Amino acid sequence: VSVLACVVFEYLIQRFLLRGPLTITNWSAVVTGLLLAFNLPATTPLWMVAVGAAVAIGVGKMTFGGLGKNPFNPALVGRVFMLLSFPVAMTTFPAIDAATGATPLSAVKGMLASGMSVPEVMRMIDWSDLWFGFRSGSFGEVSSLALLLGGAWLLYRRVITWHIPVAVLGSMALFTGVLWLCNPDQFMSPLFHLLTGGALLGAIFMATDYVTSPMTPRGMVIYGVGIGVITVLIRLWGQYPEGMSFAILIMNAFVPLIDKYVRPRRFGVPSKA
């Protein structure tokens, strides 16, 4: 439904509003629909999915002129709009036994807020569930192993480079690792933060979007570090248990500045005396 809605809305906008050449054959609307679906719970009503697709395509993409001109990741624009507009539906996840359950991040945040210590919470975590996907969450965040295999395939095919994923995950690991070493009774381990929520999905599949990420390797690292730090800040001290979507959109806004001030060295140009 998400993919179909994205394709239909892009076609209608181009056909009747922009009146330009149709670009739905470039598959970008399909990619947006897939990424939006990966960020939604399985129980999301279909009409909400259609609304999110309309916002992703109409506001996040076509408002700025279409593919290559959008400053923000369209799928995340749709996802954040749905999170703010339909918070209950976007935070209700089906569990393995068909009941509704909280994501590991939400559950841990609630347990820590109730007074439980981190060692007590850690003993309740089944790490195999985090690796293989036997937990509540959105379509694209339940299986860490599947996400890592997908990322390895993208790296092998040279669809993405290592700079952004490593910068995002490395900065998250370093930030949470320092906090964990300083106070292991209050802060969860870095591995927990990397395997839960949208960390892997965002770092590998969302932040690496060509249009909304920097062009230079050094700029990609700065961009990725910013995403990782902001994500941890929101997770630990923000209202939401997850912060990857907000972090990517915030750093999307800084991409023009990063590209302006972090430029590759130009060879063959005489320097000024």
Side-chain angles (χ1 to χ4, degrees), residues 21-269:
L22 298 178
T23 59
I24 58 173
T25 55
N26 62 19
W27 295 87
S28 62
V30 174
V31 173
T32 298
L34 286 173
L35 291 177
L36 177 61
F38 287 159
N39 282 273
L40 302 179
T43 54
T44 307
L46 296 183
W47 69 268
M48 289 187 186
V49 178
V51 171
V55 173
I57 295 296
V59 178
K61 182 179 180 182
M62 304 308 294
T63 297
F64 299 96
L67 182 65
K69 301 177 182 179
N70 52 290
F72 302 100
N73 187 296
L76 289 180
V77 172
R79 195 259 177 185
V80 170
F81 172 83
M82 294 179 68
L83 180 63
L84 298 177
S85 302
F86 318 115
V88 176
M90 290 292 290
T91 54
T92 302
F93 302 93
I96 302 302
D97 58 359
T100 57
T103 63
L105 275 176
S106 301
V108 167
K109 193 163 189 174
M111 286 186 286
L112 293 178
S114 67
M116 295 181 63
S117 65
V118 168
E120 292 175 322
V121 174
M122 294 282 284
R123 286 193 293 267
M124 300 174 62
I125 296 176
D126 188 341
W127 294 95
S128 63
D129 290 348
L130 301 183
W131 281 106
F132 297 108
F134 300 107
R135 52 171 166 156
S136 300
S138 301
F139 279 123
E141 70 177 46
V142 292
S143 177
S144 300
L145 180 61
L147 293 171
L148 290 173
L149 291 175
W153 176 252
L154 293 180
L155 288 170
Y156 172 74
R157 295 298 302 270
R158 297 185 179 179
V159 176
I160 63 174
T161 63
W162 61 268
H163 302 84
I164 294 176
V166 170
V168 173
L169 300 177
S171 59
M172 289 183 65
L174 180 61
F175 194 174
T176 57
V178 171
L179 295 175
W180 182 56
L181 291 175
C182 292
N183 191 347
D185 290 329
Q186 182 179 356
F187 299 104
M188 298 294 291
S189 70
L191 183 60
F192 174 81
H193 283 281
L194 295 182
L195 297 182
T196 55
L200 294 175
L201 176 67
I204 298 172
F205 297 95
M206 310 292 288
T208 53
D209 175 39
Y210 293 153
V211 178
T212 58
S213 60
M215 296 182 291
T216 62
R218 191 161 53 126
M220 292 179 184
V221 172
I222 296 173
Y223 168 78
V225 170
I227 292 174
V229 171
I230 294 173
T231 298
V232 174
L233 290 175
I234 295 175
R235 283 187 176 189
L236 297 182
W237 293 288
Q239 180 66 30
Y240 293 98
E242 174 60 282
M244 180 59 70
S245 297
F246 295 102
I248 294 176
L249 290 177
I250 290 172
M251 290 307 299
N252 284 164
F254 285 95
V255 167
L257 287 177
I258 295 175
D259 283 335
K260 180 178 181 180
Y261 292 105
V262 182
R263 298 179 179 178
R265 181 180 179 183
R266 298 175 62 187
F267 295 96
V269 178

